[in-house]
Amino acid sequence: MAKVSMAGVGEFCHHYPRVATIVTVHAKGKDNAMAAAWHSAISINPPIYGVSISPRRFTLELILEAKEFGVNFMPTEQAELIASVGGSSGREGDKFQRFGIVKEKPLKTSVPILKDAYACYECRLMDHKTYGDHVWVVGEILASHFEKELFTGKQVLNLERVSPALYLGAELYTIPAKDTIRHLDRKVYGKR
Amino acid sequence: MAKVSMAGVGEFCHHYPRVATIVTVHAKGKDNAMAAAWHSAISINPPIYGVSISPRRFTLELILEAKEFGVNFMPTEQAELIASVGGSSGREGDKFQRFGIVKEKPLKTSVPILKDAYACYECRLMDHKTYGDHVWVVGEILASHFEKELFTGKQVLNLERVSPALYLGAELYTIPAKDTIRHLDRKVYGKR
């Protein structure tokens, strides 16, 4: 095979799939939720997480007000909800009411924890910086919530029990394969 | 189900799976490569990409010197290589030679493009910032390279033809499922 090479990135979908999340916030007496696939762990100790958000998003305005946000990891059964919160704005009304989103109690912040998430991080805003047309929002994870029986003892997702929603770009979603898991220890392979 | 709630994040694996990449750099007359699963798109226009790198990594030293880096997206057949570059340091010797990594020519920078990658971004360093125990490295994507026949017309991965290596945490790898793809248009679902 030979690669196509080009300046820039074209449709910018090569980097998918990515776990599709719902970012939540509570501010100005309101809850809000948005879809986000551009997110990453940043640091282990302290645990820090980042998410890229368009400045057009109402959620960003609320996060900068509240100085906290939640990152909710959703199973494939909730992919329709991800598309719903991704295609609507909290400026038009309460998405929690409209889409029947059920909340659970946070531990360290006031961010909504989604009942249907298999895991959620509560983050306190540490920093935000504009890069190009988005804002990179960085938060320390103060607390985590997860469905214990969906994870192994090492807190790795048990794919026999839960399938995270993976976004592929172009409004397409898939899940990870269950039957292809391999253990490749870097300590062993690094010595080849 | 009821969630377990805790301060902090425990093993910090809830956020996986993530596409496992190999970050490359050329500086001081040397090529180097490292494994990175903590990465994200940040901006569309201009296209900007970020990756979290430990300050202990030789690759970070070289990126700060070269002011550029490559992000290589690898198929599951190369997961052993990801584990190999992840478990070794370029300070101990040339990983390209040791692991038989074949390079292709970059377009806009001097970063190594991996022949076995299905896609690669060439990035010019824009910013780097320490958050906790890692450095968040941000670069503008100046050029992209990809195996055209492995993507659809919209530059979405064709999972019938290529399976990206997905890292699950705890040295485990899987791939996306091919037979579960759904189209959920946010414009439609946002109007529910």
Side-chain angles (χ1 to χ4, degrees), chain A residues 20 22 35 74-86 116 163-167 171-175, chain B residues 180 182-186 189 192:
Chain A
I22 294 181
M74 310 303 292
T76 187
E77 292 79 5
Q78 300 296 323
E80 288 84 353
L81 179 65
I82 298 167
S84 295
V85 301
D116 288 327
S163 292
L166 292 182
Y167 186 62
E171 314 299 324
L172 298 169
Y173 294 80
T174 188
I175 60 172
Chain B
T180 56
R182 293 190 292 158
H183 182 258
L184 304 172
D185 189 336
R186 78 188 77 189
Y189 282 89
R192 280 199 305 173

Side-chain angles (χ1 to χ4, degrees), chain B residues 133-165:
Chain B
D133 55 21
H134 279 61
V135 177
W136 182 245
V137 172
V138 177
E140 181 177 349
I141 303 173
L142 299 186
S144 55
H145 307 256
F146 59 100
E147 303 285 354
K148 199 175 171 186
E149 62 266 52
L150 303 182
F151 290 83
T152 69
K154 285 190 172 178
Q155 293 180 11
V156 171
L157 267 181
N158 184 337
L159 296 177
E160 294 290 342
R161 296 192 180 170
V162 61
S163 292

